[in-house]
Amino acid sequence: MIPEATTKTTYQLPIGPIHPALKEPVAFEFEIDGERIVDVNVSLGQVHRSVEWAGMRRNPIQILYLAERICGICSYCHPMAFALAVERVAGIEVPERADYLRVIQAELERICSHILWAGVAAHEIGFDSVLFLTWQMREKALDLTEYLTGNRVTKAITMIGGVRRDITKDMVPKVTETLNYFKDNFEKLRHIFLDDKTFKMRSQGVGILTKEDALRLCACGPTTRASGVKKDVRLDQPYFAFGDLDFDYVTPDVLTGEVNGDVYDRIIVRLLEVKQSIGLIEQCLDKMPAGDIVSEPKIPKLLATLKKAKGEGIGRMEAPRGEVFHYVKLDENEYPYSWKVRAPTYNNIMPWIPMLRGEQIADIPIVAASTDPCMSCTNRVAVVDNGKKYVLDKEELHRLSVEKTRRLMA
Amino acid sequence: MTKQLTPEEIVKSFKDEFETKIKYARIEKHIAGTKKNELIHIWMSVDRSVFKNVVKHLMTLEEYPHLAVTSGYDTGKTIELVYHFSIYFGVRYREISLNITVELPKSNPTIETITDLIPGALITEQEKQEMLGIKVKGIPKDKRVFISDDFPKGVYPWRKDETGPEKMARNLHEVKK
Amino acid sequence: MRFSMLPQVFAQMFKKPWTNKFPAKYIPRSTTKFLDDVGSGKAKLIPPIETPEGFRGKIQYDTEKCTGCKLCIKVCPTEAIEYKEKEKKIKIYLARCCFCAQCTDVCPVNCLSMSNEFLLADADKYSKDLIVE
């Protein structure tokens, strides 16, 4: 609560700890003046799963699968960032082909995540037919993931020193077929998201994050790029084979010539990144050299090497939502000495405060969703008004958002 | 923006400024891809007394250094914090990761806040307070972020000593069979 | 265009729905009863979408081949594998298994493999179907 802020004209609106737009529960306390948000207080929620603690009791191979379960959508980035960190400590060199295979998986995950996000964002403003269209496309991405890795969500493709599965020649046609499907449908999606009046009304000028705020608050990923900050680990510090590929920073001025840092810009950035990812996978398939896919195929031997390793390392990777950061300290022991995981949403929480200030209650879902925190559902929202407490649930908040769209359409 | 320095120049500029207060500094170079691009990670250990000035000095190199996160671990007698900065982003291949380690004695585990310089550091500082039992001097919102309010006081999940969470943990591997 | 989604929606009305209606067109009142009916041939099951090659489903264990080297226990992230001292064989609890196939990779004698069976839901985590030995 913000006790000193309580006056006759404003009231407080706590949202959370389970919020519509967050996997890690977060609690908001809004100070509301009529319909406008005057001030926001964000406090992180209470579902801490002690993943790092559990990791101290497992060997690095076991941690790969634990890290995979940190997030269902970034189930590739987390183990891979961990593997990068461990490889740097132990001085393991990754074969060139594995570097390319890693890029393909990373970009496939980005396509999957961004399309999923696009659907959720559409749902937040009450445009459900777009939700079904995008998720139909996502289904294709999941089918391809299943084909390449063996499962739809938990991919289990990461291995320290490489990847576990190769893309053989006879698998390439299926990949290109799916990529062509994406290319055909991308134009449709771009047209709906960027030209449709409904989207423009709800997203332009809403949830603005200025470039300075993005830099000062250490935002990352598409959230910061939409504010015009050129920050993308794939380009800044090219890991895997990203240094060999031809691509550039995606900022909204590529398309519109200006940067506003609003929700609309974040939609532009994500959509253009889908297109960029399709191109990157194609480039990889062209350029991929032949060779090994893992530096040490014998896992007992690999474990013995890791047991002798000592030192500290960081693994940074551009996940769909921003930079994933893993810090690992090994200590000539079976289990790591220290492990720190930082998911992109961790840094994208602070920017919510300037984004939400001055907006309406009905804009909360779309603004919060625009940074792409993992989507779950608001359990309930309690509105405290003059000491009387009543509950506003997720449907109610969603209804408010849909009503606003209808109002604007009329 | 001022001229971009090479990693060697960065280390030198810190050493010139803080001399013996920089306990060690090393430059790691890693390669990736067929073009063998170099990734540069600088690791530095600085004395607690100059830490804030080190961050200020870092801000003369890059106006807005990006603070990814602060890691921390318990070494037995001390607690070490690792601040992971990155500078010179925005131009391909140029970004440098700068990891600054600060050692805090367990008898007096305090450190100055850097939220006045980098407001984005708030959550990670709060997290270090509750996880490692350190005290960040001058932190704007002194409250718990990740662990719940009913979590017992004096237990710090990342500690490896008697204040650690070991006694609270049930052995998860014991399953009814 | 003002309503760019409308042509899509109209086109969709004349297309086959994307969803595969597994296990039946309309959700049965009791799934267990429905499955019993399928077993006795009274009802027909709409088949699930086929799994691709290399799918990681229920684990298969060849007891004969197993030498009891315990490597799989060492790499299993969920501790789903128990070692049977007497027989020098293993027992896998599928309720804990995370289907990463790390044990099948590490096995030196290839006695473990992944099948494409994925319908493993059960009310009892120690049921016969969920223990492989």
Side-chain angles (χ1 to χ4, degrees):
Chain A
M1 289 289 146
I2 324 160
E4 70 279 1
T6 315
T7 61
K8 272 179 190 168
T9 49
T10 65
Y11 64 97
Q12 283 160 6
L13 176 80
I15 293 185
I18 314 235
H19 186 262
L22 251 201
K23 183 180 86 251
E24 303 106 307
V26 67
F28 286 101
E29 279 145 20
F30 291 101
E31 199 194 323
I32 310 285
D33 177 16
E35 259 283 286
R36 295 256 152 221
I37 299 163
V38 184
D39 199 11
V40 193
N41 194 3
V42 186
S43 54
L44 284 173
Q46 281 103 29
V47 179
H48 196 276
R49 291 170 297 168
S50 316
V51 169
E52 289 141 335
W53 185 86
M56 300 300 97
R57 278 133 195 92
R58 281 167 168 77
N59 65 39
I61 303 276
Q62 292 173 313
I63 292 181
L64 288 177
Y65 304 101
L66 179 67
E68 195 167 81
R69 277 150 187 85
I70 291 170
C71 173
I73 298 169
C74 307
S75 63
Y76 174 74
C77 306
H78 278 289
M80 213 32 127
F82 174 77
L84 274 174
V86 172
E87 281 157 15
R88 283 166 192 169
V89 180
I92 296 171
E93 261 188 55
V94 181
E96 282 167 13
R97 188 178 174 83
D99 267 341
Y100 278 85
L101 289 168
R102 284 175 165 193
V103 171
I104 292 176
Q105 294 294 342
E107 294 310 307
L108 187 59
E109 183 174 85
R110 196 178 315 278
I111 294 174
C112 203
S113 172
H114 281 350
I115 293 181
L116 178 140
W117 172 84
V120 172
H123 168 73
E124 287 302 339
I125 63 166
F127 206 158
D128 278 338
S129 48
V130 180
L131 166 78
F132 291 113
L133 179 74
T134 52
W135 282 45
Q136 184 180 357
M137 281 177 72
R138 176 176 173 261
E139 198 58 36
K140 277 272 183 194
L142 285 180
D143 282 349
L144 184 62
T145 311
E146 190 185 29
Y147 180 69
L148 294 179
T149 68
N151 261 355
R152 282 157 58 95
V153 178
T154 44
K155 303 172 184 82
I157 187 105
T158 316
M159 182 42 63
I160 293 165
V163 288
R164 288 177 65 192
R165 287 193 190 187
D166 198 1
I167 297 178
T168 51
K169 262 204 189 103
D170 49 316
M171 287 166 102
V172 174
K174 171 101 196 225
V175 181
T176 34
E177 185 204 311
T178 314
L179 289 181
N180 287 337
Y181 170 85
F182 284 140
K183 271 196 251 168
D184 294 346
N185 281 270
F186 175 77
E187 218 22 62
K188 238 187 251 171
L189 213 59
R190 193 197 61 83
H191 176 56
I192 291 167
F193 273 92
L194 301 182
D195 301 336
D196 196 283
K197 210 178 164 192
T198 324
F199 269 104
K200 281 193 175 171
M201 279 187 310
R202 283 305 304 274
S203 60
Q204 278 180 336
V206 176
I208 292 173
L209 181 70
T210 58
K211 187 173 178 178
E212 213 208 323
D213 275 340
L215 283 166
R216 277 157 49 86
L217 296 170
C218 301
C220 60
T223 311
T224 189
R225 287 197 286 279
S227 299
V229 182
K230 288 187 172 174
K231 183 164 184 9
D232 187 331
V233 190
R234 292 178 291 170
L235 289 150
D236 293 329
Q237 224 181 55
Y239 53 95
F240 302 166
F242 282 115
D244 306 347
L245 305 172
D246 177 32
F247 66 118
D248 204 1
Y249 296 93
V250 176
T251 44
D253 49 334
V254 177
L255 192 77
T256 57
E258 54 178 2
V259 177
N260 298 316
D262 54 8
V263 175
Y264 189 67
D265 279 359
R266 291 194 270 281
I267 295 175
I268 295 176
V269 167
R270 289 216 171 79
L271 278 178
L272 294 182
E273 280 188 13
V274 170
K275 198 171 184 192
Q276 188 184 55
S277 295
I278 298 170
L280 283 173
I281 295 179
E282 282 181 332
Q283 283 186 43
C284 279
L285 289 175
D286 282 352
K287 290 184 185 172
M288 197 156 57
D292 289 337
I293 57 161
V294 68
S295 65
E296 177 53 71
K298 290 201 178 72
I299 290 155
K301 217 170 158 186
L302 177 68
L303 277 173
T305 321
L306 295 176
K307 210 172 161 178
K308 279 183 225 132
K310 189 182 166 124
E312 45 190 356
I314 53 170
R316 308 172 61 204
M317 209 182 137
E318 188 74 17
R321 301 190 175 97
E323 181 192 337
V324 160
F325 190 103
H326 280 230
Y327 167 82
V328 177
K329 187 176 165 74
L330 298 181
D331 197 26
E332 293 180 327
N333 213 326
E334 196 174 354
Y335 308 136
Y337 190 78
S338 179
W339 176 37
K340 171 75 193 139
V341 180
R342 203 229 52 203
T345 308
Y346 192 102
N347 275 24
N348 283 342
I349 282 168
M350 293 290 285
W352 277 352
I353 298 169
M355 267 184 216
L356 286 166
R357 206 172 278 147
E359 302 301 340
Q360 296 182 358
I361 300 177
D363 289 325
I364 295 171
I366 183 68
V367 172
S370 73
T371 66
D372 192 9
C374 286
M375 265 293 171
S376 74
C377 282
T378 337
N379 274 4
R380 58 173 195 268
V381 177
V383 181
V384 186
D385 193 1
N386 295 335
K388 269 184 261 163
K389 205 172 191 177
Y390 60 96
V391 169
L392 201 70
D393 59 10
K394 155 209 150 205
E395 280 76 24
E396 186 70 10
L397 201 63
H398 181 63
R399 187 186 58 78
L400 274 175
S401 182
V402 173
E403 267 177 12
K404 181 172 176 185
T405 308
R406 299 236 166 91
R407 228 169 31 237
L408 287 169
M409 299 282 286
Chain B
M1 212 209 288
T2 46
K3 193 183 131 280
Q4 292 198 352
L5 305 176
T6 62
E8 287 78 15
E9 284 169 345
I10 291 174
V11 170
K12 193 174 172 295
S13 83
F14 276 102
K15 281 198 167 155
D16 289 349
E17 184 81 22
F18 302 103
E19 294 166 353
T20 55
K21 297 284 184 190
I22 306 282
K23 288 175 189 161
Y24 71 82
R26 67 172 198 275
I27 300 165
E28 268 181 18
K29 287 180 182 171
H30 300 282
I31 49 163
T34 40
K35 281 191 191 160
K36 306 288 171 211
N37 308 294
E38 271 190 352
L39 321 179
I40 293 156
H41 296 170
I42 299 176
W43 296 83
M44 275 201 301
S45 178
V46 306
D47 195 81
R48 176 166 59 150
S49 57
V50 294
F51 171 67
K52 194 148 184 181
N53 291 330
V54 167
V55 180
K56 276 183 190 153
H57 182 73
L58 182 66
M59 289 177 90
T60 60
L61 303 179
E62 159 90 46
E63 198 183 355
Y64 297 107
H66 180 89
L67 175 69
V69 76
T70 314
S71 314
Y73 48 87
D74 180 353
T75 59
K77 287 204 178 92
T78 56
I79 290 167
E80 280 182 25
L81 299 180
V82 192
Y83 285 76
H84 303 285
F85 292 98
S86 56
I87 54 172
Y88 301 151
F89 48 85
V91 187
R92 217 171 169 183
Y93 309 122
R94 295 306 293 272
E95 194 182 37
I96 291 173
S97 290
L98 198 67
N99 308 291
I100 300 176
T101 309
V102 191
E103 213 173 317
L104 312 177
K106 268 192 186 164
S107 52
N108 178 25
T110 53
I111 191 157
E112 273 178 274
T113 179
I114 54 164
T115 46
D116 48 342
L117 305 170
I118 304 169
L122 178 66
I123 291 176
T124 188
E125 285 189 351
Q126 287 174 333
E127 188 196 31
K128 298 298 109 40
Q129 288 207 77
E130 64 187 14
M131 295 293 179
L132 282 165
I134 60 162
K135 180 86 194 94
V136 181
K137 272 187 280 179
I139 190 166
K141 284 176 190 160
D142 188 3
K143 55 169 190 167
R144 287 181 169 179
V145 274
F146 285 112
I147 48 182
S148 60
D149 288 331
D150 55 1
F151 192 80
K153 294 222 157 47
V155 178
Y156 305 111
W158 290 2
R159 289 268 188 117
K160 290 180 193 262
D161 56 11
E162 68 285 350
T163 55
E166 299 300 327
K167 55 183 177 287
M168 291 177 72
R170 285 179 301 140
N171 192 356
L172 295 171
H173 312 318
E174 279 168 17
V175 271
K176 191 190 93 187
K177 278 168 187 172
Chain C
M1 195 166 63
R2 198 172 163 154
F3 299 110
S4 46
M5 191 63 202
L6 273 182
Q8 279 282 324
V9 176
F10 277 122
Q12 190 61 45
M13 289 170 86
F14 303 102
K15 279 188 201 156
K16 232 181 109 196
W18 186 275
T19 314
N20 176 43
K21 289 185 173 149
F22 170 77
K25 194 173 179 189
Y26 300 105
I27 190 158
R29 212 159 264 223
S30 156
T31 314
T32 23
K33 190 173 169 293
F34 174 73
L35 289 177
D36 285 344
D37 286 353
V38 171
S40 58
K42 266 188 264 173
K44 230 177 132 194
L45 192 81
I46 297 180
I49 292 174
E50 264 181 53
T51 54
E53 213 180 303
F55 179 79
R56 300 191 307 273
K58 184 178 175 176
I59 197 159
Q60 306 280 321
Y61 176 46
D62 187 345
T63 331
E64 298 293 299
K65 274 195 203 164
C66 180
T67 55
C69 69
K70 294 209 242 180
L71 273 177
C72 48
I73 298 176
K74 203 171 173 188
V75 294
C76 180
T78 54
E79 319 236 331
I81 308 176
E82 188 190 27
Y83 188 64
K84 294 194 286 189
E85 280 301 334
K86 238 188 251 162
E87 299 110 309
K88 295 206 177 353
K89 301 284 168 192
I90 57 163
K91 187 175 183 183
I92 305 158
Y93 293 87
L94 283 186
R96 285 187 77 96
C97 178
C98 73
F99 302 94
C100 64
Q102 190 64 67
C103 50
T104 63
D105 277 15
V106 81
C107 187
V109 290
N110 294 326
C111 70
L112 292 163
S113 61
M114 301 304 258
S115 69
N116 57 1
E117 193 185 337
F118 62 90
L119 297 169
L120 299 170
D122 206 308
D124 174 20
K125 58 183 174 179
Y126 300 109
S127 88
K128 219 166 65 231
D129 298 339
L130 294 185
I131 291 177
V132 178
E133 55 184 333

